[in-house]
Amino acid sequence: MLPFMKMHGLGNDFVVIDARESDIEITPAMAKGIAHRQMGLGFDQLAVIATADASTEADAHLVFYNADGSTSGACGNATRCIARYLMDQSNKPSLRLTTDRGVLIATDAGEGLTSVNMGVPQLSWDEIPLAEELETLELPIEGAPSATGMGNPHCTFFVEDAEVIPLAEFGPRYEHHPLYPERTNVQIAHVVGPNHLRMRVWERGVGITLASGSSSCATAVAAARKGLTGRKVQIDLDGGTLWIDWRDDGVWMTGPTMHVANGSFTRQFLESLSE
């Protein structure tokens, strides 16, 4: 029997496994099986809480899997959800968490909100990464999208009206664009007003999601670089609102979290994933 938690941040939903006191090994096949909305449990990302390396002095280490079984270096909303769980568990107002992105600081923002510093954005072509050396503010792609790295690659299009773009067709077309050797998350956004954006997202390895934390950070960075907004913005997603603040020490993301339920996977189900 393997315990799990179901959480979401603005409808961006996660299965979370606390593996700090177990020797469970998650394989891509297991992640893909758990992700199936009909034959598993369903998620946008699977997050595993592991014990952090003592040298990092961190409270926990987080590993993320996409619904197709691939791994992701960062997942902002899952990080916020887990940070809230760990802060409630430990009565700490702030935490140090490690991911493939590096050390992330999480804090209690009050009024039920949780903030995470997602780190300094990656703006050079080789960090994102792109397939060739290019200026990342405006890529040579129709619509002149911006490329940004937030521990995973992003491609952000600014349009007149994000609501009318057929995201189910648009997203996969650019997720697999040759300029992105590791595929990319795709965002479409428009300016609502001063420091206020509307954004929709296609996540690599997942598809359309109601929200994405790292995508929101990337979109805020791209908007500020283009002069469309300042560095502190409100972003309205399909599932709700996040507040992004691009500071000197990194991109801070603030929003609500929800711990939906606890449960356990049965032995029969887990054994079926190894067949």
Side-chain angles (χ1 to χ4, degrees):
M1 303 288 279
L2 177 63
F4 68 84
M5 296 172 281
K6 190 69 186 286
M7 301 179 177
H8 76 82
L10 305 179
N12 189 194
D13 68 322
F14 317 107
V15 169
V16 180
I17 296 174
D18 190 343
R20 288 175 294 173
E21 297 183 4
S22 71
D23 57 357
I24 182 68
E25 180 181 353
I26 303 298
T27 65
M30 283 181 65
K32 191 173 181 178
I34 294 169
H36 198 289
R37 297 280 180 185
Q38 289 76 38
M39 300 178 71
L41 187 61
F43 62 73
D44 290 334
Q45 275 84 27
L46 169 68
V48 179
I49 309 173
T51 302
D53 189 303
S55 65
T56 65
E57 298 183 349
D59 294 276
H61 178 70
L62 308 183
V63 180
F64 306 108
Y65 294 85
N66 294 317
D68 66 354
S70 62
T71 57
S72 177
C75 183
N77 282 325
T79 301
R80 288 192 307 101
C81 288
I82 293 168
R84 169 56 57 188
Y85 163 71
L86 294 175
M87 285 190 288
D88 289 346
Q89 190 179 64
S90 64
N91 291 317
K92 290 183 177 182
S94 65
L95 300 171
R96 285 170 57 88
L97 302 171
T98 56
T99 69
D100 288 349
R101 171 80 166 116
V103 178
L104 306 181
I105 304 300
T107 64
D108 181 352
E111 299 181 354
L113 302 179
T114 304
S115 295
V116 171
N117 182 352
M118 293 295 291
V120 176
Q122 299 157 312
L123 303 178
S124 65
W125 71 275
D126 54 332
E127 290 180 319
I128 292 170
L130 299 178
E132 58 186 272
E133 185 173 357
L134 290 169
E135 167 54 51
T136 60
L137 185 58
E138 293 189 349
L139 297 179
I141 297 173
E142 183 180 0
S146 297
T148 310
M150 290 300 310
N152 45 21
H154 297 272
C155 184
T156 307
F157 293 81
F158 291 96
V159 299
E160 288 189 10
D161 186 354
E163 306 289 352
V164 302
I165 303 296
L167 189 54
E169 302 170 11
F170 190 90
R173 182 190 315 161
Y174 293 103
E175 176 188 355
H176 299 275
H177 194 281
L179 279 180
Y180 285 90
E182 297 179 4
R183 299 182 295 164
T184 185
N185 299 282
V186 181
Q187 303 87 36
I188 52 174
H190 69 252
V191 177
V192 176
N195 299 320
H196 187 180
L197 299 170
R198 169 71 170 108
M199 187 196 86
R200 298 170 64 208
V201 60
W202 175 277
E203 290 197 63
R204 65 171 180 170
V206 182
I208 296 173
T209 56
L210 295 180
S212 169
S214 63
S215 290
S216 298
C217 293
T219 297
V221 169
R225 293 178 71 202
K226 284 179 173 286
L228 300 175
T229 66
R231 291 165 64 113
K232 188 174 183 178
V233 299
Q234 172 183 327
I235 298 186
D236 297 334
L237 303 108
D238 290 344
T241 298
L242 290 172
W243 292 269
I244 310 297
D245 188 0
W246 182 12
R247 306 176 194 171
D248 290 342
D249 65 343
V251 185
W252 285 82
M253 172 183 53
T254 302
T257 62
M258 179 60 67
H259 186 154
V260 178
N262 298 331
S264 295
F265 294 112
T266 66
R267 185 181 303 278
Q268 178 188 20
F269 173 68
L270 293 175
E271 289 177 348
S272 75
L273 301 181
S274 63
E275 293 176 355

